[in-house]
Amino acid sequence: MTYSLQRRVFCGFALAAVVPVHAQVAGLGDAINKAGRQRMLSQRMSKAWFGLGQGIQAETARRVLDQSMALFDRQLVELKTFAPAGETRDTYVLLESAWSDYKSLLVGAVPLQDRAKSVLDQAGKVLALAHKGTGLFEQQAGKPGAKLVNVAGRQRMLSQRMAQFYLANSWNVESALSLREISKAREEFVPALELLRNAPEATAEIRQELVLADNQWLFFDNALKARVTSLKAAADVFVSSENLLQVMDRVTGMYARVLG
């Protein structure tokens, strides 16, 4: 795939990602999908913020940040409304507070290196709560297929987490931590693809999408392994992470529909 084609695929997803499939949560499969998407968005927003700060895919990064924030806001309202009383509802109240703090870091000021660690830290707090909410919805579903929706959705997050830490490292922000987290996420991503591929619930359509995921993973992994810290190398990571995200978002939706 050429670089220009990668850009074209990516830009299409950036626009499609903000169009809600449902005006509200349609069921537990949809809840797991959207809750897991909040995890991804926590990392995608910081990736875009780092891109803006370094002039990496700046125009696209701005669009990704704005659209991701809008989508996070909308899905948070939907999930909080859908969440039953108790631990799940309490988790989304906490997430709402953490999101407010995170959003205040992302907007209203030009991205600067001296604020980057705070953005990274708050992205992690939002991620942890979004992950907890996803797990609680999975437990409520009580079906084996619910785990597959969660795992597929987590692949979306891992794609953005690796890109986030790559861009953090390229800005000399938490470099040792960033390299460790990229390695850890890489080690988790590949076996999860195998789990999704070999699951009894995997339809022919899902397996076909996972072949595309394998191809996009190769592009992304090669970009991550580039030792040259340049604007082009970082742009390759940014774009290829979006392409991988696009495929894994489709796979997650497919598993969510199988679950019902």
Side-chain angles (χ1 to χ4, degrees), residues 20-196:
V21 177
H22 306 289
Q24 59 186 7
V25 176
L28 280 169
D30 191 36
I32 299 167
N33 185 6
K34 289 182 176 179
R37 189 180 285 128
Q38 299 293 79
R39 292 180 299 198
M40 176 276 289
L41 291 170
S42 74
Q43 309 297 283
R44 191 179 187 223
M45 287 183 281
S46 57
K47 177 192 76 173
W49 191 89
F50 287 134
L52 277 173
Q54 298 172 78
I56 297 163
Q57 295 285 301
E59 181 181 344
T60 301
R62 168 53 66 190
R63 184 167 61 250
V64 166
L65 181 57
D66 291 345
Q67 293 178 345
S68 296
M69 290 177 66
L71 183 57
F72 193 99
D73 268 329
R74 182 158 56 249
Q75 290 187 154
L76 182 57
V77 172
E78 294 174 11
L79 290 164
K80 188 179 175 185
T81 301
F82 183 81
E87 187 178 9
T88 307
R89 178 67 60 83
D90 292 345
T91 297
Y92 279 93
V93 171
L94 292 172
L95 179 56
E96 189 173 39
S97 177
W99 166 233
S100 178
D101 293 339
Y102 187 25
K103 185 158 54 171
S104 69
L105 291 170
L106 296 172
V107 299
V110 175
L112 297 174
Q113 192 173 20
D114 61 4
R115 300 176 67 207
K117 185 180 183 303
S118 295
V119 168
L120 202 62
D121 290 345
Q122 196 61 32
K125 292 177 183 178
V126 171
L127 169 61
L129 287 165
H131 180 65
K132 182 178 180 180
T134 310
L136 289 168
F137 282 127
E138 180 191 332
Q139 290 173 24
Q140 291 162 34
K143 298 178 181 178
K147 178 182 179 181
L148 296 171
V149 182
N150 194 347
V151 170
R154 191 167 184 272
Q155 296 290 81
R156 297 177 298 196
M157 181 276 290
L158 290 174
S159 74
Q160 300 308 291
R161 187 167 177 80
M162 286 182 270
Q164 168 202 252
F165 279 114
Y166 185 98
L167 267 63
N169 181 52
S170 72
W171 217 6
N172 297 314
V173 177
E174 295 289 297
S175 290
L177 171 67
S178 295
L179 294 173
R180 286 196 305 270
E181 289 297 329
I182 291 171
S183 178
K184 180 181 176 182
R186 181 187 280 117
E187 290 171 2
E188 294 172 356
F189 189 91
V190 175
L193 279 180
E194 285 301 306
L195 173 66
L196 295 170

Side-chain angles (χ1 to χ4, degrees), residues 6-35:
Q6 287 180 320
R7 278 185 58 90
R8 189 158 59 247
V9 171
F10 152 66
C11 290
F13 178 67
L15 293 173
V18 298
V19 179
V21 177
H22 306 289
Q24 59 186 7
V25 176
L28 280 169
D30 191 36
I32 299 167
N33 185 6
K34 289 182 176 179

